[in-house]
Amino acid sequence: MGQTSHVTRRFSRLDEAVVRRLASDISMAARIGDCFALHGDLGAGKSTFARAFIRQMAGDRDGALEVPSPTFTFVQTYETSPPVAHFDLYRVGDADELAEIGLEGALAEAICLIEWPERAPSALPVDAIRLSLETCEDDADLRDVTLDLPSTIADRFDETLAARDFLDAHGAVDAYRTRLVGDASARRYETVHDAAGDPQRILMIAPKQPDGPPVRDGKPYSQLVHLAEDIQPFVAIARLLSERGFRAPRIDAYDTARGFILLEDLGREGVLDANREPDPIRYRAAVEALAQLHATQWPDHVSVDGWTHRIAAFDADVFVLEAQLLPDWYLPSRDERAAAEYAAIIRALHAQLDETPATLLLRDFHSPNIIFDPAAEGTARIGLIDFQDALIGSPAYDLMSLIHDARVSVPTDLQDALLDHYCALRSADPGFDEANLRRDAAICSAQRNCKILGIFNRLNVRDGKPGYLAHVPRVEAYLARSLDHPALRDLRAWFERNDLQLAST
């Protein structure tokens, strides 16, 4: 059996409540395939740790979930998310019994907690996580805990322990944490429940990500297109939006070095109905919030707590580089001549956007990132939760991110009604030109949907994630509709020359 390097974390003189809290915190970082080998004498607290871990995974804050000892059944399974298998190998006699209780299969499909792992050491994976509990010699109610982690995953568990320290340091002492489904990025989210009666909050965990390979001028793609590299842009834009009267989450505390933000929970209601289809009333409210946002004057920098975040421009270089994902990943072959023609067309389209006054561009204003509060009024009904990549650019971009939502099919009549409603709301603003806005809407939709088609195909081809291909017909239909505008005739002709057929419905 191969060897793997480990790192050790030690926790001294923990009472039972703190052992349970430690188990809960560790469970927050656990993933399918993690195997926890729980060592300790009888009464040391292995079952206490396992029960707290499982109850946390099940969202059982009150400890009501029955978690029986698997001493006689060998294994108890729990349909949590992800699933957990709790093993007790004390009575295992030989290898045949291990096969019968399904240890090997569970290691591939669940998080495994194994008590008495020393009874079958050969069955454990080389990257098992070893957790040992020992009773303190001078106090039978206290435990010393040693966590021995494979170095390849140590950062994951150090992060969840650091998150607990962050919460304790910022007034959320002993807060109850639960996993929250996040977005498609590297960010993770948890709900944080303080003392009884306190409002629930959100812990965002967004550590700085390593740079990708250089794409141009020695810089990675993320820098070239101004994607946020740490949490400071989120904090800055949240403060700016709130100051201007928009519903961004309140920031209660943050730690830039670790990537933690403790923020207001705006709720779970979105702009889709019970069938996961666009709710016309809520989409209309989102358009009204955008119209108000676009009628507001915005600076190109924000000063917060002694540092300054500069909001970059959605300039031609960014516009073209994003759109270049289509020929890079969606053309039947990597045709350099066709890609160069395409880039020139996209750059010419961006030049037309300069005729419209720029505004704050949130960049991902679509259904997954919009919270709806039915009890509020006006723009307060629309909660904004994803804006860390904000730029200064065309007002049409966010509008079409919503109307041509890549993950939801917006009916064409609703698309038209929303665009009409936006134009009506902006018609009284000095400098607003409806014809230019409609042209810009077609241009921004085309650019964004070209980018998305490239991203989805890259996720399939490079990253082995074919699930995103289910959205391709919808995105192609949006793109085909935008290409009908006269301003897009050169891009439409390029698609025809390169035999790229788009779904039209």
Side-chain angles (χ1 to χ4, degrees):
M1 189 172 290
Q3 299 293 319
T4 186
S5 61
H6 285 67
V7 297
T8 301
R9 306 288 181 255
R10 292 184 172 87
F11 311 88
S12 300
R13 304 182 66 80
L14 310 185
D15 62 24
E16 183 175 325
V18 178
V19 169
R20 290 198 302 267
R21 194 182 84 162
L22 178 63
S24 297
D25 289 341
I26 289 173
S27 78
M28 298 295 290
R31 300 177 183 172
I32 290 176
D34 286 343
C35 176
F36 292 84
L38 307 182
H39 295 265
D41 294 334
L42 283 171
K46 299 186 298 298
S47 294
T48 296
F49 181 93
R51 288 191 180 100
F53 187 109
I54 292 165
R55 285 170 174 155
Q56 176 70 39
M57 295 296 300
D60 176 35
R61 183 179 183 180
D62 300 323
L65 176 69
E66 184 178 358
V67 183
S69 171
T71 301
F72 295 102
T73 59
F74 290 117
V75 59
Q76 293 286 145
T77 58
Y78 299 87
E79 296 302 319
T80 53
S81 181
V84 176
H86 181 197
F87 291 86
D88 187 321
L89 305 186
Y90 188 78
R91 296 192 307 113
V92 168
D94 54 44
D96 289 341
E97 287 182 302
L98 287 175
E100 290 175 7
I101 64 177
L103 177 58
E104 183 176 352
L107 288 169
E109 299 173 358
I111 299 166
C112 292
L113 304 175
I114 303 179
E115 297 189 45
W116 301 104
E118 56 270 24
R119 301 282 182 165
S122 63
L124 300 183
V126 294
D127 59 351
I129 299 163
R130 178 187 173 97
L131 189 136
S132 301
L133 299 105
E134 296 182 27
T135 302
C136 294
E137 291 184 1
D138 63 337
D139 193 330
D141 292 330
L142 300 180
R143 301 291 182 267
D144 290 334
V145 179
T146 302
L147 182 63
D148 195 45
L149 294 160
S151 57
T152 53
I153 63 172
D155 286 352
R156 183 170 16 123
F157 291 92
D158 286 343
E159 182 181 78
T160 189
L161 298 173
R164 171 61 69 186
D165 292 340
F166 170 77
L167 292 173
D168 286 349
H170 293 286
V173 178
D174 291 332
Y176 182 76
R177 302 158 61 189
T178 57
R179 299 184 187 216
L180 182 63
V181 176
D183 52 24
S185 73
R187 295 182 294 273
R188 294 194 301 106
Y189 300 88
E190 299 176 4
T191 57
V192 176
H193 308 260
D194 295 346
D198 288 348
Q200 175 176 291
R201 290 183 286 178
I202 299 293
L203 174 64
M204 179 194 291
I205 302 175
K208 182 176 174 61
Q209 297 299 302
D211 286 336
V215 172
R216 182 183 299 166
D217 300 329
K219 296 180 179 180
Y221 179 84
S222 59
Q223 287 185 16
L224 291 169
V225 300
H226 307 302
L227 300 180
E229 297 189 315
D230 58 33
I231 63 170
Q232 285 189 335
F234 184 95
V235 172
I237 301 300
R239 296 267 178 93
L240 179 61
L241 288 166
S242 297
E243 289 170 0
R244 301 299 172 91
F246 295 91
R247 189 81 179 273
R250 182 190 67 253
I251 306 294
D252 289 343
Y254 66 95
D255 181 332
T256 301
R258 298 307 301 256
F260 299 142
I261 309 179
L262 184 60
L263 63 154
E264 178 187 7
D265 187 351
L266 297 184
R268 301 292 175 276
E269 284 203 54
V271 292
L272 305 181
D273 63 20
N275 297 316
R276 306 299 298 167
E277 296 178 354
D279 182 314
I281 294 175
R282 296 185 175 194
Y283 266 66
R284 186 179 174 92
V287 164
E288 291 165 1
L290 270 186
Q292 183 62 38
L293 187 145
H294 296 160
T296 301
Q297 295 296 312
W298 299 97
D300 61 3
H301 65 279
V302 190
S303 295
V304 179
D305 299 337
W307 50 268
T308 298
H309 170 63
R310 299 200 174 277
I311 309 173
F314 193 28
D315 61 21
D317 288 341
V318 177
F319 196 78
V320 173
L321 188 58
E322 285 189 341
Q324 198 72 34
L325 290 169
L326 183 130
D328 285 351
W329 290 98
Y330 213 70
L331 276 179
S333 62
R334 299 292 290 274
D335 186 323
E336 296 300 328
R337 178 192 57 80
E341 291 178 351
Y342 171 84
I345 293 168
I346 297 295
R347 189 171 292 274
L349 289 173
H350 181 272
Q352 297 183 64
L353 299 181
D354 290 339
E355 299 173 15
T356 301
T359 186
L360 185 68
L361 186 158
L362 303 180
R363 212 168 185 178
D364 273 317
F365 190 76
H366 56 167
S367 59
N369 298 331
I370 303 172
I371 302 298
F372 185 81
D373 183 354
E377 296 182 356
T379 57
R381 292 181 296 171
I382 299 300
L384 308 173
I385 59 173
D386 191 319
F387 38 71
Q388 63 281 336
D389 298 325
L391 300 173
I392 299 296
S394 171
Y397 189 89
D398 283 342
L399 179 64
M400 297 313 293
S401 298
L402 175 71
I403 293 176
H404 285 175
D405 193 321
R407 289 170 174 78
V408 180
S409 294
V410 181
T412 55
D413 58 345
L414 180 56
Q415 294 176 36
D416 293 339
L418 293 171
L419 186 55
D420 290 346
H421 186 48
Y422 177 88
C423 290
L425 291 169
R426 296 293 314 281
S427 61
D429 292 350
F432 177 75
D433 186 308
E434 182 171 343
N436 282 356
L437 185 282
R438 291 181 180 273
R439 177 203 62 201
D440 294 352
I443 292 172
C444 288
S445 172
Q447 187 270 357
R448 180 174 171 82
N449 287 306
C450 284
K451 175 184 72 172
I452 291 171
L453 288 175
I455 290 172
F456 286 172
N457 207 45
R458 183 180 66 186
L459 287 166
N460 174 49
V461 173
R462 187 191 71 182
D463 302 331
K465 298 179 179 179
Y468 289 90
L469 296 182
H471 301 301
V472 164
R474 176 188 308 115
V475 177
E476 287 189 346
Y478 290 148
L479 176 55
R481 195 152 198 248
S482 67
L483 292 177
D484 285 340
H485 193 283
L488 278 297
R489 59 182 178 276
D490 289 344
L491 186 57
R492 183 172 63 249
W494 181 88
F495 272 85
E496 292 169 353
R497 286 196 304 274
N498 289 280
D499 197 31
L500 285 172
Q501 302 298 317
L502 300 175
S504 58
T505 58

